[in-house]
Structures are given as C-alpha cells and as structure tokens.
Amino acid sequence: MIYPLLKPFLFKADPEKAHERIMSLGRKISKHPSLLNAVRALFYLEDERLRVQVGGLSFPNPIGLAAGFDKNAEAIPLFEALGFGSVEVGTVTPRGQRGNEKPRLFRLLEDKGIINRMGFNNDGVNAMTHRISGISKNIVLGINIGKNKTTPNEDALSDYQICLTEAYGHGDYFTINISSPNTPGLRGLQELESLSPLLEGLLETREKMSKTYGVKPLWLKLAPDLSSEELEKICVLSMKLKLDALVLTNTTLARPEYLVNEQKAQAGGLSGKPVRELSNQKLKEAAGFTAGKMPLVGVGGVFHAKDVVEKLTLGASLVQVYSGMIYEGPGLIKEIKEGLLKYIMEHDFKRLDQISTKELQG
C-alpha cells in the first residue's frame, strides 16, 4: 500500500498540519465518485458475519471512526469507502471556535501514542449540518456534541440542547461528550449533581425531536480517569435514565511510566496504545456494573484485530478507532476485518457477535 511510503513524509510535518493535509485530501476524494470507487476497490471488505445490531441500529461491522478525526464532517464518503461500520463526527459546539493555542497535537512515536489539547476546535453545528445535508451517505453516522469553552457548566445544558436540536435530523445517534480533558471544567459534568439534570434535559429534548424524526440513540462518552466508584454511579444513573450506550473511553491525563518519547510531558489527553490498558480496565468495570443491560462501545488502543476481539470479550458491542488510523493508515480497517473473519472461522462461530466475555484469548 502507498501509506507506508507517505508516512515518513507526513510524520516529518507538524502533526496538526499533517492531519489537515490528510483531511484536505479526504475532502477532495469524497467529492469524486471515481476516486471513491478506486478507494473502495482497494480497501472495502464486508461480510454478513461481521454485522452487529446495537440499540436499534444495524452496523455492517463493529469498527467505527472515533470522534475527533473528522471534526467537521468533511470526509464521510471517504470513510465509508474505507469500510468503517460507522463514523462519529465532531465534537461539535453551538458556535464555531478556534480551540486552544497551537501547538496542541503531539506524536509519541516510540509509544504509538498521541497527546492532544485541541479544545473542541470546530466550525459550529450549523456549518456541520449544512455539510452533512449536502452528501449522500450509506453509513451509520454519529454526531458527538459538546459545549463552547466560554459557556459555564451551569449553562452547559443549553449548549448541548442546541447541538442536539440542530443536528438531530442529520445523525443516526448522538454522543454526549463530557469527558474531554481539554475544555476547562468539562469533566466536572461527570459528577452526578451536574450529570443527572444534563441527561434528563437532553432526554426531554430528544422526546420533542422524536415527534418529527423518531427516537434516536443517545450515547455518553466517559473518561478513563474516573474511579471505580464514580464509574459505577454513572452506570447506575445511565441505566435508570435508559441511555442507549456508554462509550469507554476518552483520552487520559495519566502518563504510564513506560513512556519514552520526550513529548510525554505535554499537557493534554493521551490516546493510542498507552491508553489501551486503562480503557480496557474501565470497559471491564462498566460491563460488570451494567451486567449486559446497556451496550458498551470500546475506544482506546485499537491497532489490530486482536485489540478488537479483546474489547468485545470484555463487554463491548462496538469499537472505535482513532490513533490506529494515524499510525497504521487507511488499510487498517480491512486488515482488522480480515483478522476478525479468521477469528470467527478458527472458533467455529457463525457471527462475530457470538464472542462472549468468557472467550478472551489474551
């Protein structure tokens, strides 16, 4: 594939500039059917054994693109052609904002990690929905919603309601992001006294919007830095309010001792391989707290099919990829699916969703 040849040149550039170049290419490809067909011929692979049903939605495979990669919904057709089962765009806020000061994105090459302190830089919800309405899509589309940096937490509900209302007719599900470490105070919304009224208000908004567009799933994305006690309380509340899924996890503020890259001291959220163990730990805990009563989405450190299998055996119904795409390139999704199909055959399964928590292979 061409990515191994391009990667050294991309990695010589500033990480954010390199990402902008990738997205610029993605925008161009997404507008040309012939280019999309060429991408599809190289990378697209589907098999009914990989299909999963989650919360009333049918996913052709369990591998989704995590929020943050395509913040402004600019290249959805390309990610569909690459074979993702879903794409989650955003995080989007009511008003467009520039985000934090640059530099704000850092590669930890030896560790296969990324640190970001982007700060919800995006064009705003109206620009996003206008862009989505102009494309033809055949993929499960999630929209990740947040609040503007200047909005105090006591007024956060209004920001989330604006995003949900404006985006509701354009997405298939919506993820409530209260767990990014890069907007000051945002993680305070994970505390029950703030979280409960926030979720109740958003569920009321969904009920109103459902009269026009039907009921669409609401997911909640959590931080890996929650204590077990905090996570249990959120799981109990989420089940009580009947949210549709929990996403585990966002980036971490922790820094594992084994990190070697000098950028490890940068402020921001750490993702990639270094967060995999912590994310899996929280996924396993959430699976215990929810006991199969709520779908879980595993995020963090997905680079190979075995990483997907591990998250599925720990209780996830779906997984999402971000850093793996940066380090492994566009062929990653096809490689993972080939690995999953091999796993299915080796274990004499008929479908991938037969994997249970007792079948973790290590």
Side-chain angles (χ1 to χ4, degrees), residues 7-19:
K7 184 176 174 181
F9 297 98
L10 288 171
F11 277 32
K12 285 182 180 179
D14 170 80
E16 188 165 355
K17 289 182 179 178
H19 190 79

Side-chain angles (χ1 to χ4, degrees), residues 177-182 187 190 220-231 234 247-256 268-286 297-301 311:
N177 188 349
I178 55 171
S179 52
S180 169
N182 302 314
R187 286 189 169 185
Q190 294 179 127
L220 179 65
K221 190 168 187 176
L222 300 174
D225 306 313
L226 291 167
S227 68
S228 296
E229 293 76 14
E230 290 170 329
L231 179 57
I234 293 175
V247 183
L248 298 124
T249 65
N250 213 315
T251 59
T252 181
L253 291 173
R255 297 293 185 267
L270 173 66
S271 62
K273 284 195 173 182
V275 80
R276 181 171 60 204
E277 184 176 346
L278 182 57
S279 293
N280 284 349
Q281 176 188 333
K282 295 306 169 182
L283 173 61
K284 183 177 180 179
E285 289 178 2
V297 182
V299 193
K311 289 189 185 297

Side-chain angles (χ1 to χ4, degrees), residues 5-55:
L5 300 176
L6 292 176
K7 184 176 174 181
F9 297 98
L10 288 171
F11 277 32
K12 285 182 180 179
D14 170 80
E16 188 165 355
K17 289 182 179 178
H19 190 79
E20 289 171 354
R21 291 170 185 169
I22 291 294
M23 291 307 301
S24 176
L25 179 61
R27 289 193 298 271
K28 293 175 182 178
I29 294 175
S30 294
K31 294 177 181 179
H32 291 83
S34 59
L35 294 178
L36 286 173
N37 288 335
V39 171
R40 190 173 286 108
L42 284 173
F43 299 108
Y44 199 81
L45 168 67
E46 289 303 346
D47 191 297
E48 279 300 308
R49 291 171 292 178
L50 298 178
R51 183 170 294 277
V52 292
Q53 303 287 328
V54 178

Side-chain angles (χ1 to χ4, degrees), residues 137-159:
K137 66 178 181 65
N138 186 30
I139 192 171
V140 177
L141 178 63
I143 300 179
N144 188 296
I145 60 175
K147 77 173 188 70
N148 281 112
K149 183 178 181 178
T150 56
T151 302
N153 277 10
E154 53 266 30
D155 298 327
L157 173 58
S158 176
D159 273 18

Side-chain angles (χ1 to χ4, degrees), residues 40-223:
R40 190 173 286 108
L42 284 173
F43 299 108
Y44 199 81
L45 168 67
E46 289 303 346
D47 191 297
E48 279 300 308
R49 291 171 292 178
L50 298 178
R51 183 170 294 277
V52 292
Q53 303 287 328
V54 178
L57 295 175
S58 178
F59 296 79
N61 66 75
I63 310 158
L65 181 68
F69 202 101
D70 188 359
K71 289 178 176 289
N72 293 304
E74 298 176 294
I76 295 171
L78 170 62
F79 296 120
E80 178 184 342
L82 289 174
F84 280 97
S86 60
V87 172
E88 189 170 306
V89 296
T91 298
V92 67
T93 55
R95 304 179 305 281
Q97 59 183 28
R98 298 179 65 180
N100 295 324
E101 294 298 317
K102 299 178 181 181
R104 55 193 181 180
L105 186 63
F106 309 90
R107 303 185 196 96
L108 280 62
L109 294 179
E110 301 90 338
D111 306 299
K112 287 200 171 182
I114 293 171
I115 291 176
N116 92 83
R117 50 173 183 264
M118 302 297 286
F120 288 174
N121 56 306
N122 74 103
D123 294 340
V125 68
N126 289 330
M128 173 184 281
T129 55
H130 177 75
R131 194 170 288 124
I132 293 173
S133 64
I135 66 170
S136 176
K137 66 178 181 65
N138 186 30
I139 192 171
V140 177
L141 178 63
I143 300 179
N144 188 296
I145 60 175
K147 77 173 188 70
N148 281 112
K149 183 178 181 178
T150 56
T151 302
N153 277 10
E154 53 266 30
D155 298 327
L157 173 58
S158 176
D159 273 18
Y160 285 93
Q161 286 177 318
I162 290 170
C163 288
L164 183 60
T165 300
E166 295 298 321
Y168 198 86
H170 301 272
D172 297 306
Y173 73 85
F174 303 88
T175 298
I176 305 161
N177 188 349
I178 55 171
S179 52
S180 169
N182 302 314
T183 295
L186 184 74
R187 286 189 169 185
L189 295 174
Q190 294 179 127
E191 298 173 6
L192 289 192
E193 57 267 28
S194 298
L195 182 58
S196 184
L198 176 69
L199 295 180
E200 289 171 355
L202 286 171
L203 287 167
E204 290 175 3
T205 300
R206 180 177 70 172
E207 184 177 358
K208 294 177 183 177
M209 298 303 297
S210 68
K211 295 176 181 178
T212 302
Y213 297 102
V215 177
K216 297 185 179 183
L218 283 183
W219 297 3
L220 179 65
K221 190 168 187 176
L222 300 174

